[in-house]
Amino acid sequence: MPKHTTRIPRILMPKAGTDLAKWAVIACDQYTSQPEYWEKLDKEVGSAPSALRITLPEAYLEEPDVDARIHTIHDAMEQYLAGGILEELPAGVVLTSRDTGGACDRKGLVMAFDLEDYDYHLGSVSAIRPTEKTVEERIPPRLAVREGAAVELPHIMLMIDDPDCSVIEPLFAQTDKLQKLYDVDLMANGGHLTGWFIPEGELTEKIESGLARLADRSVFNAKYGVDDSKPVLPFAVGDGNHSMATAKASWEKIKAGLSPEEQENHPARYVLAEVVNLHDKSLEIEGIYRVLFGADADDVLAEAQRFFAANGGTAAVSDVPADGGQNFPFETADKKAYLTVTDSKWALPVATLQAFLDDYLTAHPAVKIDYIHGLDVLHDLSIQPGNLGFALPDPAKEDLFRGVIFDGVLPRKTFSMGEAREKRYYMEAKRIL
């Protein structure tokens, strides 16, 4: 990994005395179908300084007054900067601990990343890649919010695959030597958030060296059983993919008007994000199941056999899971069995199944699909007449990187990583103009 993929930023934080419980709010891409959540939050914040005033909840992204909202947000950013509400810290990173009531806190590092080392397009070989396909139609309305904005607040989470827990976790043995930036209960059942400031210096050099070590070619090849033909993947976007893509699109527009020298250190080139280890004990990766509605189960299963035969594999239906293949338990109103695919050209089971389902649904537009959490819900839907439900194994954590490395991007709805209230709350900010 080139050293410049990471950058030690100058982070903006609310000035001393700010009520951080009212400042920190959930990521704007949550509760998009629940405007009442945001209306309640608006009343709780009141006139206090808050990240709510300088972000646009996506619940309002398609409202008729969105342009006026964006203008108000940009004005508030300028006022927070001019009035000293937001103060710039010395160069450094923030070590974070988020308690959402589970067995373990989620540990992270807030730092900056070079958008030159990120590409969200299919076939990307960049050092930072999305885990799921980016829907480019979602970028323009978000770009309208970012363009003209003086600061950014991150809800992007970048994952590292560090099974030895060598980069982030050892830092928590040194928190007694670090400045505590915040220690606050979060609104709306968000849990508790603590952050420590790590100034640029020996410790940040160690952090960057540790991240670079994860991207060492020999380490990468051994970890994933690949040769030099597979591009190294140090960082995968685990959350906030469209926010990251919007930052990239904005930077490309800004960059076009800059000289090479001006591009080097322009603040919009570097995006603020939280790095989280995929192997953090707090992260629970859950599979997402599939249900077809209005489907003829016999036809679906017959088409599956034809599809996989045409793609170099085989598919068969049996009453028990078979050895040496990818097994997909399925259920209908009158049948429970397994669809077993052998010699799949897709690395992950979810990619195997979704490739077939996408093909089948294209040819059968009257059949609909939904993506389901929970085996009980899957069962209740699958046994209804005309429905067919497929269960999937929970993805192994290491398979998330493996899927991106081998298959490009993961299929949509591959995994779920925490509930809405557990998503990142805005706290830190950074100048982008």
Side-chain angles (χ1 to χ4, degrees):
M1 179 186 68
K3 183 71 176 286
H4 69 268
T5 295
T6 57
R7 171 63 65 99
I8 306 302
R10 293 181 65 91
I11 287 172
L12 295 165
M13 281 291 297
K15 68 179 181 180
T18 302
D19 184 349
L20 296 181
K22 292 186 176 181
W23 172 265
V25 297
I26 195 76
C28 66
D29 61 345
Q30 301 302 307
Y31 303 106
T32 53
S33 299
Q34 297 170 260
E36 64 275 9
Y37 173 94
W38 297 101
E39 291 163 6
K40 181 180 179 182
L41 205 61
D42 181 76
K43 292 176 182 177
E44 287 188 36
V45 167
S47 60
S50 177
L52 183 62
R53 304 304 177 210
I54 53 175
T55 55
L56 179 65
E58 294 189 3
Y60 303 123
L61 204 55
E62 298 181 5
E63 291 295 311
D65 65 345
V66 65
D67 290 341
R69 288 178 181 270
I70 292 172
H71 182 75
T72 300
I73 287 166
H74 290 171
D75 282 349
M77 289 178 177
E78 298 290 353
Q79 291 168 14
Y80 282 5
L81 290 169
I85 297 296
L86 282 171
E87 297 180 336
E88 196 168 69
L89 302 178
V93 304
V94 179
L95 180 67
T96 69
S97 178
R98 174 76 177 278
D99 177 8
T100 56
C104 302
D105 294 358
R106 185 177 73 222
K107 300 172 174 62
L109 272 173
V110 179
M111 56 195 306
F113 294 83
D114 191 349
L115 288 165
E116 289 292 306
D117 289 334
Y118 164 68
D119 181 4
Y120 56 81
H121 295 96
L122 290 176
S124 167
V125 296
S126 55
I128 308 171
R129 287 174 236 164
T131 49
E132 296 185 1
K133 181 181 178 181
T134 302
V135 182
E136 295 193 39
E137 292 78 10
R138 293 181 61 185
I139 296 176
R142 291 155 181 80
L143 191 58
V145 182
R146 189 174 180 91
E147 290 184 328
V151 302
E152 65 174 4
L153 294 94
H155 67 261
I156 300 163
M157 287 175 56
L158 296 184
M159 313 306 296
I160 56 173
D161 188 1
D162 181 17
D164 296 328
C165 299
S166 63
V167 179
I168 298 172
E169 290 79 1
L171 297 170
F172 282 83
Q174 304 186 50
T175 53
D176 60 333
K177 302 174 186 175
L178 301 175
Q179 175 194 352
K180 186 178 285 185
L181 282 181
Y182 47 80
D183 193 358
V184 60
D185 288 329
L186 299 170
M187 289 190 292
N189 199 29
H192 192 89
L193 183 63
T194 311
W196 299 265
F197 181 65
I198 302 177
E200 184 174 29
E202 182 179 346
L203 198 50
T204 60
E205 289 179 5
K206 187 175 180 180
I207 290 167
E208 290 193 294
S209 295
L211 292 172
R213 190 164 53 249
L214 294 178
D216 177 83
R217 167 54 73 179
S218 60
V219 172
F220 179 83
N221 287 6
K223 183 188 295 184
Y224 300 108
V226 298
D227 58 28
D228 291 359
S229 66
K230 291 292 185 185
V232 172
L233 177 63
F235 301 103
V237 184
D239 223 345
N241 183 56
H242 287 88
S243 179
M244 186 92 173
T246 300
K248 173 70 169 183
S250 176
W251 166 238
E252 290 298 324
K253 294 182 71 173
I254 292 170
K255 182 174 72 170
L258 302 176
S259 68
E261 293 76 17
E262 291 170 328
Q263 291 175 18
E264 282 299 314
N265 292 301
H266 194 284
R269 173 172 172 165
Y270 300 91
V271 66
L272 209 57
E274 181 176 358
V275 189
V276 177
N277 184 8
L278 183 61
H279 299 272
D280 189 287
K281 292 179 180 178
S282 73
L283 292 185
E284 295 183 0
I285 308 297
E286 299 175 351
I288 301 176
Y289 311 129
R290 275 72 171 152
V291 176
L292 299 181
F293 299 84
D296 180 326
D298 290 337
D299 182 64
V300 173
L301 297 168
E303 288 297 321
Q305 294 178 56
R306 282 191 283 271
F307 174 83
F308 288 110
N311 282 276
T314 60
V317 175
S318 59
D319 292 332
V320 295
D323 294 332
Q326 297 176 356
N327 292 288
F328 302 99
F330 69 85
E331 187 172 14
T332 68
D334 55 12
K335 187 176 182 63
K336 288 182 71 172
Y338 293 84
L339 174 67
T340 300
V341 179
T342 55
D343 298 321
S344 172
K345 70 178 185 180
W346 292 275
L348 299 187
V350 65
T352 297
L353 181 62
Q354 192 64 45
F356 161 63
L357 293 178
D358 286 344
D359 182 81
Y360 186 85
L361 292 167
T362 299
H364 300 79
V367 178
K368 305 302 178 185
I369 191 170
D370 199 4
Y371 301 90
I372 305 300
H373 298 264
L375 288 171
D376 53 343
V377 179
L378 177 67
H379 169 74
D380 289 345
L381 291 173
S382 299
I383 61 174
Q384 295 178 20
N387 292 359
L388 168 62
F390 287 97
L392 282 158
D394 289 342
K397 288 186 175 183
E398 55 270 21
D399 281 350
L400 298 186
F401 270 68
R402 187 174 295 277
V404 177
I405 292 164
F406 286 93
D407 294 338
V409 294
L410 303 177
R412 62 187 180 277
K413 303 295 185 183
T414 294
F415 65 95
S416 175
M417 193 167 62
E419 301 175 9
R421 68 176 186 85
E422 298 173 314
K423 301 298 183 179
R424 196 167 201 283
Y425 271 56
Y426 297 119
M427 179 64 80
E428 303 84 358
K430 182 180 77 66
R431 288 181 180 271
I432 54 176
L433 285 182

